[in-house]
Protein backbone atom coordinates (compact mmCIF):
# COMPACT_ATOMS: atom_id res chain seq x y z
CA UNK A 1 0.00 0.00 0.00
CA UNK A 2 1.53 3.30 -1.14
CA UNK A 3 0.14 6.66 -0.04
CA UNK A 4 1.14 9.92 -1.75
CA UNK A 5 0.10 13.53 -1.14
CA UNK A 6 -0.64 16.65 -3.17
CA UNK A 7 0.26 20.27 -2.36
CA UNK A 8 -3.52 20.90 -2.15
CA UNK A 9 -3.76 18.39 0.74
CA UNK A 10 -5.36 15.41 -0.95
CA UNK A 11 -4.03 11.93 -0.37
CA UNK A 12 -4.09 9.04 -2.82
CA UNK A 13 -3.50 5.45 -1.87
CA UNK A 14 -3.01 2.56 -4.26
CA UNK A 15 -4.61 -0.44 -2.57
CA UNK A 16 -4.66 -2.77 -5.54
CA UNK A 17 -3.78 -2.75 -9.23
CA UNK A 18 -7.25 -1.65 -10.31
CA UNK A 19 -7.97 1.61 -8.50
CA UNK A 20 -6.54 4.17 -6.08
CA UNK A 21 -8.45 5.77 -3.21
CA UNK A 22 -8.53 9.59 -2.82
CA UNK A 23 -9.42 11.74 0.17
CA UNK A 24 -8.39 14.84 2.09
CA UNK A 25 -5.55 14.84 4.58
CA UNK A 26 -5.82 15.36 8.33
CA UNK A 27 -4.28 18.81 7.78
CA UNK A 28 -7.03 19.75 5.30
CA UNK A 29 -9.69 18.46 7.65
CA UNK A 30 -8.22 20.45 10.55
CA UNK A 31 -8.19 23.60 8.41
CA UNK A 32 -11.77 23.12 7.23
CA UNK A 33 -13.35 22.24 10.55
CA UNK A 34 -16.69 20.43 10.71
CA UNK A 35 -17.55 19.11 7.25
CA UNK A 36 -21.27 19.53 6.48
CA UNK A 37 -21.49 18.65 2.76
CA UNK A 38 -19.46 16.80 0.16
CA UNK A 39 -20.02 17.04 -3.61
CA UNK A 40 -18.53 13.89 -5.12
CA UNK A 41 -17.51 13.34 -8.75
CA UNK A 42 -19.58 11.33 -11.20
CA UNK A 43 -18.66 7.66 -11.58
CA UNK A 44 -17.37 7.02 -15.09
CA UNK A 45 -16.13 10.57 -15.63
CA UNK A 46 -12.51 11.05 -16.65
CA UNK A 47 -10.41 13.88 -15.20
CA UNK A 48 -6.99 15.30 -15.93
CA UNK A 49 -4.55 15.80 -13.07
CA UNK A 50 -5.34 19.05 -11.26
CA UNK A 51 -8.97 19.33 -12.39
CA UNK A 52 -11.62 19.99 -9.76
CA UNK A 53 -13.33 16.67 -9.05
CA UNK A 54 -15.50 17.68 -6.11
CA UNK A 55 -16.17 20.13 -3.31
CA UNK A 56 -16.10 19.81 0.44
CA UNK A 57 -18.00 22.35 2.53
CA UNK A 58 -17.56 22.99 6.22
CA UNK A 59 -18.95 25.43 8.73
CA UNK A 60 -15.86 27.58 8.01
CA UNK A 61 -15.40 27.39 4.24
CA UNK A 62 -15.76 25.47 1.00
CA UNK A 63 -12.79 23.89 -0.75
CA UNK A 64 -12.30 22.24 -4.10
CA UNK A 65 -11.09 18.66 -4.27
CA UNK A 66 -8.50 18.33 -7.02
CA UNK A 67 -7.78 15.19 -9.00
CA UNK A 68 -4.29 14.13 -7.88
CA UNK A 69 -3.70 12.10 -11.08
CA UNK A 70 -5.35 11.68 -14.46
CA UNK A 71 -7.90 8.91 -14.51
CA UNK A 72 -11.47 7.67 -14.44
CA UNK A 73 -13.63 7.75 -11.32
CA UNK A 74 -14.72 4.17 -10.69
CA UNK A 75 -16.44 4.54 -7.30
CA UNK A 76 -17.51 7.23 -4.84
CA UNK A 77 -17.98 6.95 -1.09
CA UNK A 78 -21.78 7.08 -0.90
CA UNK A 79 -21.60 7.07 2.92
CA UNK A 80 -20.19 10.62 2.77
CA UNK A 81 -23.42 11.92 1.23
CA UNK A 82 -25.36 10.98 4.37
CA UNK A 83 -22.49 11.33 6.84
CA UNK A 84 -20.13 14.07 5.62
CA UNK A 85 -18.62 14.16 9.11
CA UNK A 86 -16.77 10.92 8.23
CA UNK A 87 -14.30 13.29 6.55
CA UNK A 88 -13.68 14.72 10.05
CA UNK A 89 -13.65 11.59 12.16
CA UNK A 90 -11.57 9.44 9.79
CA UNK A 91 -10.24 11.48 6.82
CA UNK A 92 -7.58 8.91 5.93
CA UNK A 93 -9.93 5.93 6.28
CA UNK A 94 -13.74 5.74 6.25
CA UNK A 95 -13.86 9.38 5.10
CA UNK A 96 -12.35 8.66 1.68
CA UNK A 97 -13.96 10.49 -1.26
CA UNK A 98 -13.59 8.44 -4.44
CA UNK A 99 -11.62 5.77 -6.25
CA UNK A 100 -9.87 6.43 -9.53
CA UNK A 101 -8.38 4.19 -12.20
CA UNK A 102 -5.05 5.90 -12.89
CA UNK A 103 -4.22 6.43 -16.55
CA UNK A 104 -0.72 7.87 -16.05
CA UNK A 105 1.33 6.23 -13.28
CA UNK A 106 4.14 8.75 -13.81
CA UNK A 107 1.84 11.39 -12.29
CA UNK A 108 1.40 9.23 -9.19
CA UNK A 109 5.15 8.74 -8.89
CA UNK A 110 5.66 12.54 -8.99
CA UNK A 111 3.45 13.15 -5.92
CA UNK A 112 4.93 13.67 -2.44
CA UNK A 113 5.64 10.81 -0.09
CA UNK A 114 5.00 11.15 3.66
CA UNK A 115 8.31 12.83 4.59
CA UNK A 116 8.05 15.31 1.71
CA UNK A 117 4.47 16.15 2.73
CA UNK A 118 5.64 16.74 6.32
CA UNK A 119 8.20 19.25 4.99
CA UNK A 120 5.41 21.03 3.08
CA UNK A 121 3.29 21.24 6.24
CA UNK A 122 6.19 22.69 8.23
CA UNK A 123 6.81 25.30 5.52
CA UNK A 124 3.13 26.39 5.63
CA UNK A 125 2.99 26.89 9.39
Amino acid sequence: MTTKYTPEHEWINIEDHDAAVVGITQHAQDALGDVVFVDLPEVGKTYAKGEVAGVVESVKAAADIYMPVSGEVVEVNEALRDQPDLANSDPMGEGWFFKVRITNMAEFDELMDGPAYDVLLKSES
Side-chain angles (χ1 to χ4, degrees), residues 11 22-24 35-41 55-57 65 76-91 93-98:
W11 58 266
V22 177
I24 60 171
V35 174
V36 295
F37 175 76
V38 177
D39 182 23
L40 299 170
V55 176
V56 59
E57 294 181 13
I65 304 300
V76 295
N77 186 353
E78 292 294 344
L80 276 181
R81 293 191 203 278
D82 297 325
Q83 294 178 275
D85 62 325
L86 286 172
N88 294 113
S89 60
D90 193 10
E94 294 296 314
W96 62 276
F97 282 59
F98 56 89

Side-chain angles (χ1 to χ4, degrees), residues 38-50:
V38 177
D39 182 23
L40 299 170
E42 182 182 328
V43 172
K45 186 165 182 189
T46 301
Y47 293 87
K49 177 181 179 179

Side-chain angles (χ1 to χ4, degrees), residues 6 10-12 22 49-50 66-70 98 107-108 111:
T6 71
E10 289 91 17
W11 58 266
I12 181 168
V22 177
K49 177 181 179 179
Y66 297 95
M67 185 61 74
V69 293
S70 298
F98 56 89
E107 292 175 347
F108 179 82
L111 296 171

Side-chain angles (χ1 to χ4, degrees), residues 3-75:
T3 303
K4 298 272 192 147
Y5 303 88
T6 71
E8 297 79 29
H9 307 291
E10 289 91 17
W11 58 266
I12 181 168
N13 183 353
I14 295 182
E15 334 184 283
D16 58 46
H17 62 280
D18 194 41
V21 182
V22 177
I24 60 171
T25 65
Q26 184 68 49
H27 174 81
Q29 182 278 317
D30 290 344
L32 283 167
D34 293 335
V35 174
V36 295
F37 175 76
V38 177
D39 182 23
L40 299 170
E42 182 182 328
V43 172
K45 186 165 182 189
T46 301
Y47 293 87
K49 177 181 179 179
E51 280 190 300
V52 174
V55 176
V56 59
E57 294 181 13
S58 74
V59 293
K60 291 183 185 177
D64 290 331
I65 304 300
Y66 297 95
M67 185 61 74
V69 293
S70 298
E72 176 189 355
V73 175
V74 295
E75 185 180 345

